[in-house]
Amino acid sequence: DAGITQSPRHKVTETGTPVTLRCHQTENHRYMYWYRQDPGHGLRLIHYSYGVKDTDKGEVSDGYSVSRSKTEDFLLTLESATSSQTSVYFCAISESGVTSRNTIYFGEGSWLTVV
Amino acid sequence: AQSVTQLDSHVSVSEGTPVLLRCNYSSSYSPSLFWYVQHPNKGLQLLLKYTSAATLVKGINGFEAEFKKSETSFHLTKPSAHMSDAAEYFCVVILPYGQNFVFGPGTRLSVLP
């Protein structure tokens, strides 16, 4: 298995509070991604990073921010959590981006409940 | 635009019988296609990928998928289901820009003893 650690794995938080999810990799891969998984939607991309301090938005980026100060860490922040952000969040990594010659590896997920 | 349709949200088979999970895509480009599997409370694991080298792609755990351009399909099959195959399966297509996979909604496979 690829060395991807997500923390926390489970969290319950109140509406309006800030939340940060951490993804840590030991593979030295350039690309890192945050996805959310919701029933009936598969996985949807929130943000991704293509290098230290280089990030870009995905299709569902509203309400989320990210930071990558080191190759191994990619942080996802919900500035003010809302109930619609209750979801399972997956971090993923790839060596050289999304191509058919490459593979994306996923972490085991972080379950976030906003009450 | 590209999208992925998985025609069945839930498929139930008996152990030892064939598995067919259907996937259709729409794309204005030559697609790159993948199947991923997700066991309960786990991350996603790559089963197989289509890279245009061969239309019949073999993956792990006895799964295979056939790319049919005329039908815009990439169905996943296995000759004989095992209890450990019970999981959620996602068909995925790559966008040619934006560093993104586009996921289908998933098909939950149940395997009955």
Side-chain angles (χ1 to χ4, degrees), chain A residues 4 8 19 21 24 32 48-49 64 75 78 90 100 112-113 115:
Chain A
I4 307 170
V19 176
L21 305 180
H24 179 78
M32 299 185 75
Y48 69 97
S49 169
Y64 301 94
L75 303 180
L78 290 65
F90 285 95
S100 61
L112 177 67
T113 302
V115 297

Side-chain angles (χ1 to χ4, degrees), chain A residues 37 90 97-98 100 102 104 107, chain B residues 32 36 38 43 49 90 99 101 104:
Chain A
Q37 183 179 28
F90 285 95
V98 175
S100 61
N102 205 4
I104 277 192
Chain B
S32 296
Y36 276 82
Q38 183 183 29
K49 60 185 179 182
F90 293 96
Q99 290 297 322
F101 282 100

